[in-house]
Each structure stands twice: as structure tokens, then as C-alpha cells.
Amino acid sequence: IVMACNTIHVYRDQLISQSWYKDILSLSEIVSEYFQNITDDIAILWTPITTTCWLYTFDNCNYDNPSIENLNKIWEVVNSYNATWDTKNNLEVLENIIDIHKSNGTKYYVAACTEISELLRNYDDESIIIIDTLELLISKVLQKIIKTKKR
């Protein structure tokens, strides 16, 4: 089973324990692997709902996460994008939040929501690195499929 939504991964362990599905990839573990040797500051671009869980909290990382005000703006972007598909205005809000963190020296940004991944897919700023959790998940799924087929 592949769960593409970041928020659903909060319930992964519960799903495993209450069903026969045992081989559900952990998005948290996949992202953690990516950050294993990174010492620069990271900003997690997520919604207020996912900030209260353990999903992207790793001991070895330094965080420069959005303020509550900006988390609420991200939540509004997610809702607006789902309702309107307005890329231009919603991307502008995300760019403004990224600019705040760039001024702090933050280099890495985790697109920790499906809609944020979609909006930042073509974001072009060579001074930062956008980590798309969906791309990491897809890459891991493909690796697993190839490994399974070689058996």
C-alpha cells in the first residue's frame, strides 16, 4: 500500500496494527533517510494539523519552521488550491513564506503536503533545495518494485 498524503502517515502504525497490511512504507523514515547527513537548517512547509505529530521531527536536524501565522496561511493555500486550482496566487503565498526563511539562511524546504508539493513542483530558485516528499515516496516505491522483480 502506498499512501500519498502526508497526513495519513500519522496513522500508519495504527493502520498496520489494526489490519492485515504490514508492508506500508513509512514516509517519515524515507524523509529521515534523506536528512541523515544534512546539518543546514530545514523549514517544514506543512499545515497546522501535521505540526502536532511526530512525522518530520528528527533528532539530527535544525529547524526554522514557519510561525503559527504562516502555518495558517499554508493551510489556507491548501484549501484554496483544492477548491480553485489557483496556482499563481497560492504559489505567491508560499514564495513569501520561503523568502522569510531564506533571509534566516535556511536552505532546505520540505514540501510536506501533497498540495504544497504540487505548487512547488516548478519553483525555480537555485539558492534553496525543495524536498518533495511525494517524489521521495515514489522513488522508494520504484526501488522496492525493482528489488521485488529481481527476486
Side-chain angles (χ1 to χ4, degrees):
I1 292 180
V2 179
M3 301 185 303
C5 173
N6 286 263
T7 306
I8 194 66
H9 280 268
V10 173
Y11 304 102
R12 176 185 169 270
D13 292 342
Q14 182 180 351
L15 180 61
I16 288 172
S17 70
Q18 295 179 1
S19 73
W20 63 84
Y21 300 114
K22 303 301 178 208
D23 194 21
I24 302 173
L25 293 173
S26 167
L27 190 54
S28 179
E29 290 174 12
I30 293 167
V31 175
S32 177
E33 287 173 19
Y34 184 91
F35 284 113
Q36 209 163 21
N37 298 313
I38 293 176
T39 57
D40 295 314
D41 285 351
I42 301 164
I44 313 289
L45 303 175
W46 50 8
T47 64
I49 293 171
T50 51
T51 60
T52 59
C53 68
W54 50 265
L55 199 58
Y56 299 124
T57 304
F58 312 121
D59 292 337
N60 63 314
C61 294
N62 298 314
Y63 295 94
D64 178 33
N65 287 329
S67 66
I68 295 295
E69 177 185 344
N70 284 330
L71 288 173
N72 287 327
K73 287 179 183 178
I74 292 171
W75 179 243
E76 290 169 10
V77 161
V78 168
N79 288 323
S80 171
Y81 186 65
N82 282 327
T84 67
W85 293 94
D86 178 0
T87 302
K88 182 177 181 271
N89 291 320
N90 289 311
L91 180 57
E92 189 175 297
V93 172
L94 292 176
E95 288 173 341
N96 290 335
I97 293 170
I98 289 171
D99 286 344
I100 292 167
H101 296 279
K102 275 177 42 179
S103 70
N104 296 339
T106 302
K107 183 175 180 178
Y108 292 91
Y109 297 81
V110 178
C113 183
T114 308
E115 293 82 1
I116 297 167
S117 294
E118 181 67 25
L119 284 164
L120 294 177
R121 179 96 357 136
N122 296 313
Y123 182 70
D124 190 25
D125 183 339
E126 293 181 11
S127 69
I128 66 168
I129 298 171
I130 302 286
I131 294 87
D132 186 331
T133 56
L134 290 180
E135 286 184 15
L136 292 178
L137 179 63
I138 291 166
S139 177
K140 187 60 99 174
V141 168
L142 292 174
Q143 289 172 16
K144 195 165 184 142
I145 289 169
I146 291 167
K147 185 178 179 181
T148 303
K149 283 192 171 205
K150 286 184 178 179
R151 290 185 193 168

Short mmCIF file of all heavy atoms in Angstrom, two decimals, residues 28-49:
data_model
loop_
_atom_site.label_atom_id
_atom_site.label_comp_id
_atom_site.label_asym_id
_atom_site.label_seq_id
_atom_site.Cartn_x
_atom_site.Cartn_y
_atom_site.Cartn_z
N SER A 28 7.83 9.07 6.96
CA SER A 28 8.73 9.67 7.95
C SER A 28 10.13 9.06 7.86
O SER A 28 11.13 9.79 7.87
CB SER A 28 8.15 9.46 9.36
OG SER A 28 9.01 9.99 10.33
N GLU A 29 10.21 7.74 7.75
CA GLU A 29 11.52 7.08 7.64
C GLU A 29 12.22 7.45 6.34
O GLU A 29 13.44 7.64 6.31
CB GLU A 29 11.35 5.57 7.75
CG GLU A 29 10.97 5.12 9.14
CD GLU A 29 10.66 3.62 9.21
OE1 GLU A 29 10.94 2.89 8.24
OE2 GLU A 29 10.10 3.21 10.24
N ILE A 30 11.45 7.55 5.27
CA ILE A 30 12.03 7.90 3.97
C ILE A 30 12.63 9.30 4.01
O ILE A 30 13.76 9.53 3.57
CB ILE A 30 10.97 7.79 2.85
CG1 ILE A 30 10.56 6.32 2.67
CG2 ILE A 30 11.46 8.39 1.55
CD1 ILE A 30 9.32 6.12 1.83
N VAL A 31 11.89 10.25 4.58
CA VAL A 31 12.39 11.63 4.68
C VAL A 31 13.57 11.69 5.65
O VAL A 31 14.56 12.39 5.41
CB VAL A 31 11.26 12.60 5.09
CG1 VAL A 31 11.79 14.00 5.32
CG2 VAL A 31 10.17 12.62 4.01
N SER A 32 13.49 10.94 6.73
CA SER A 32 14.59 10.90 7.71
C SER A 32 15.89 10.43 7.06
O SER A 32 16.97 10.98 7.32
CB SER A 32 14.21 9.98 8.87
OG SER A 32 15.27 9.85 9.78
N GLU A 33 15.80 9.42 6.21
CA GLU A 33 16.98 8.93 5.48
C GLU A 33 17.60 10.04 4.65
O GLU A 33 18.83 10.17 4.58
CB GLU A 33 16.61 7.76 4.56
CG GLU A 33 16.33 6.47 5.26
CD GLU A 33 15.81 5.40 4.31
OE1 GLU A 33 15.99 5.52 3.07
OE2 GLU A 33 15.19 4.44 4.81
N TYR A 34 16.77 10.84 4.01
CA TYR A 34 17.25 11.93 3.18
C TYR A 34 18.06 12.93 4.01
O TYR A 34 19.08 13.44 3.57
CB TYR A 34 16.08 12.63 2.50
CG TYR A 34 16.51 13.73 1.55
CD1 TYR A 34 16.74 13.45 0.21
CD2 TYR A 34 16.71 15.03 1.99
CE1 TYR A 34 17.15 14.45 -0.67
CE2 TYR A 34 17.11 16.03 1.12
CZ TYR A 34 17.34 15.73 -0.20
OH TYR A 34 17.75 16.72 -1.04
N PHE A 35 17.60 13.20 5.22
CA PHE A 35 18.23 14.21 6.07
C PHE A 35 19.32 13.66 6.99
O PHE A 35 19.85 14.40 7.81
CB PHE A 35 17.17 14.93 6.91
CG PHE A 35 16.39 15.92 6.12
CD1 PHE A 35 15.04 15.72 5.87
CD2 PHE A 35 16.99 17.06 5.62
CE1 PHE A 35 14.32 16.63 5.13
CE2 PHE A 35 16.28 17.97 4.87
CZ PHE A 35 14.94 17.76 4.63
N GLN A 36 19.68 12.43 6.84
CA GLN A 36 20.62 11.79 7.73
C GLN A 36 21.93 12.57 7.90
O GLN A 36 22.45 12.67 9.00
CB GLN A 36 20.91 10.38 7.23
CG GLN A 36 21.26 9.41 8.30
CD GLN A 36 21.13 7.99 7.79
OE1 GLN A 36 21.16 7.73 6.59
NE2 GLN A 36 21.00 7.06 8.70
N ASN A 37 22.47 13.12 6.83
CA ASN A 37 23.77 13.80 6.90
C ASN A 37 23.69 15.29 6.62
O ASN A 37 24.69 15.92 6.32
CB ASN A 37 24.74 13.13 5.90
CG ASN A 37 24.98 11.69 6.24
OD1 ASN A 37 25.24 11.35 7.39
ND2 ASN A 37 24.88 10.82 5.26
N ILE A 38 22.51 15.87 6.74
CA ILE A 38 22.34 17.30 6.47
C ILE A 38 22.36 18.06 7.78
O ILE A 38 21.64 17.72 8.72
CB ILE A 38 21.04 17.55 5.68
CG1 ILE A 38 21.19 16.92 4.29
CG2 ILE A 38 20.72 19.03 5.60
CD1 ILE A 38 19.98 16.99 3.42
N THR A 39 23.20 19.09 7.84
CA THR A 39 23.32 19.87 9.07
C THR A 39 22.77 21.28 8.93
O THR A 39 22.66 22.00 9.91
CB THR A 39 24.80 19.95 9.51
OG1 THR A 39 25.57 20.52 8.44
CG2 THR A 39 25.34 18.58 9.86
N ASP A 40 22.41 21.68 7.71
CA ASP A 40 21.82 23.01 7.49
C ASP A 40 20.41 23.07 8.04
O ASP A 40 19.75 22.04 8.24
CB ASP A 40 21.80 23.34 6.00
CG ASP A 40 23.19 23.48 5.41
OD1 ASP A 40 24.03 24.14 6.03
OD2 ASP A 40 23.43 22.91 4.33
N ASP A 41 19.91 24.29 8.25
CA ASP A 41 18.54 24.47 8.73
C ASP A 41 17.53 23.98 7.71
O ASP A 41 17.73 24.10 6.49
CB ASP A 41 18.26 25.94 9.05
CG ASP A 41 18.91 26.39 10.34
OD1 ASP A 41 19.45 25.52 11.07
OD2 ASP A 41 18.88 27.59 10.63
N ILE A 42 16.41 23.48 8.24
CA ILE A 42 15.32 22.94 7.43
C ILE A 42 14.04 23.67 7.82
O ILE A 42 13.78 23.88 9.00
CB ILE A 42 15.14 21.44 7.73
CG1 ILE A 42 16.41 20.67 7.43
CG2 ILE A 42 13.94 20.87 6.96
CD1 ILE A 42 16.42 19.29 8.05
N ALA A 43 13.23 24.02 6.83
CA ALA A 43 11.89 24.55 7.08
C ALA A 43 10.88 23.54 6.55
O ALA A 43 10.96 23.14 5.39
CB ALA A 43 11.69 25.90 6.41
N ILE A 44 9.98 23.12 7.42
CA ILE A 44 8.94 22.18 7.01
C ILE A 44 7.71 22.99 6.63
O ILE A 44 7.16 23.71 7.45
CB ILE A 44 8.57 21.21 8.15
CG1 ILE A 44 9.81 20.60 8.81
CG2 ILE A 44 7.62 20.13 7.64
CD1 ILE A 44 10.56 19.62 7.99
N LEU A 45 7.31 22.89 5.38
CA LEU A 45 6.13 23.60 4.88
C LEU A 45 4.95 22.64 4.98
O LEU A 45 4.72 21.81 4.11
CB LEU A 45 6.36 24.07 3.44
CG LEU A 45 7.59 24.95 3.25
CD1 LEU A 45 7.79 25.26 1.76
CD2 LEU A 45 7.49 26.23 4.05
N TRP A 46 4.25 22.75 6.08
CA TRP A 46 3.15 21.84 6.37
C TRP A 46 1.99 22.59 6.96
O TRP A 46 2.07 23.79 7.19
CB TRP A 46 3.59 20.71 7.28
CG TRP A 46 4.34 21.10 8.53
CD1 TRP A 46 4.55 22.36 9.04
CD2 TRP A 46 4.99 20.23 9.43
NE1 TRP A 46 5.28 22.31 10.20
CE2 TRP A 46 5.57 21.00 10.47
CE3 TRP A 46 5.15 18.85 9.50
CZ2 TRP A 46 6.28 20.47 11.52
CZ3 TRP A 46 5.88 18.32 10.56
CH2 TRP A 46 6.44 19.12 11.55
N THR A 47 0.92 21.88 7.24
CA THR A 47 -0.28 22.51 7.78
C THR A 47 -0.28 22.41 9.30
O THR A 47 0.45 21.59 9.87
CB THR A 47 -1.54 21.81 7.21
OG1 THR A 47 -1.54 20.47 7.66
CG2 THR A 47 -1.58 21.89 5.70
N PRO A 48 -1.09 23.21 9.97
CA PRO A 48 -1.16 23.14 11.43
C PRO A 48 -1.50 21.74 11.95
O PRO A 48 -1.03 21.35 13.02
CB PRO A 48 -2.27 24.13 11.79
CG PRO A 48 -2.28 25.11 10.67
CD PRO A 48 -1.93 24.29 9.44
N ILE A 49 -2.26 20.98 11.19
CA ILE A 49 -2.63 19.62 11.63
C ILE A 49 -1.40 18.74 11.76
O ILE A 49 -1.24 18.02 12.73
CB ILE A 49 -3.64 18.99 10.64
CG1 ILE A 49 -4.97 19.74 10.70
CG2 ILE A 49 -3.84 17.51 10.92
CD1 ILE A 49 -5.94 19.34 9.62
#
